[in-house]
Amino acid sequence: MATRKVTLSLDSGALEFAERAAKAHGISVSSWLSKAARREAVRTGYTPQRAPVEPSARSDEAELTAAEKDLRAQG
């Protein structure tokens, strides 16, 4: 999966939650935040535009599909 470096400002409470959640899941804070952002986008109705799928984007599609399935299961 392609990544880009970005600079974000988070309130200290949000960062602490992210750090604890990432540690509990055994992943980096960056990875946890990326997944959380994707899930929130799906939860709030973002629908990606379909374009030809590049090989590096296949894992993104799989993760998006899994997030949508999880959200549907939660109601």
Side-chain angles (χ1 to χ4, degrees):
M1 166 177 20
T3 60
R4 283 182 16 200
K5 279 196 173 267
V6 297
T7 301
L8 300 172
S9 297
L10 301 173
D11 66 72
S12 59
L15 180 57
E16 185 175 337
F17 282 140
E19 289 170 337
R20 288 181 180 188
K23 184 176 182 179
H25 288 92
I27 60 177
S28 69
V29 174
S30 292
S31 180
W32 190 89
L33 286 171
S34 181
K35 290 177 182 189
R38 179 172 283 120
R39 286 189 185 108
E40 182 63 7
V42 170
R43 186 188 73 77
T44 58
Y46 171 74
T47 304
Q49 296 178 358
R50 298 292 178 197
V53 178
E54 298 294 325
S56 63
R58 288 194 180 121
S59 61
D60 288 346
E61 286 294 318
E63 188 175 335
L64 180 59
T65 300
E68 289 171 339
K69 182 179 176 182
D70 289 345
L71 288 169
R72 282 192 215 102
Q74 293 174 10

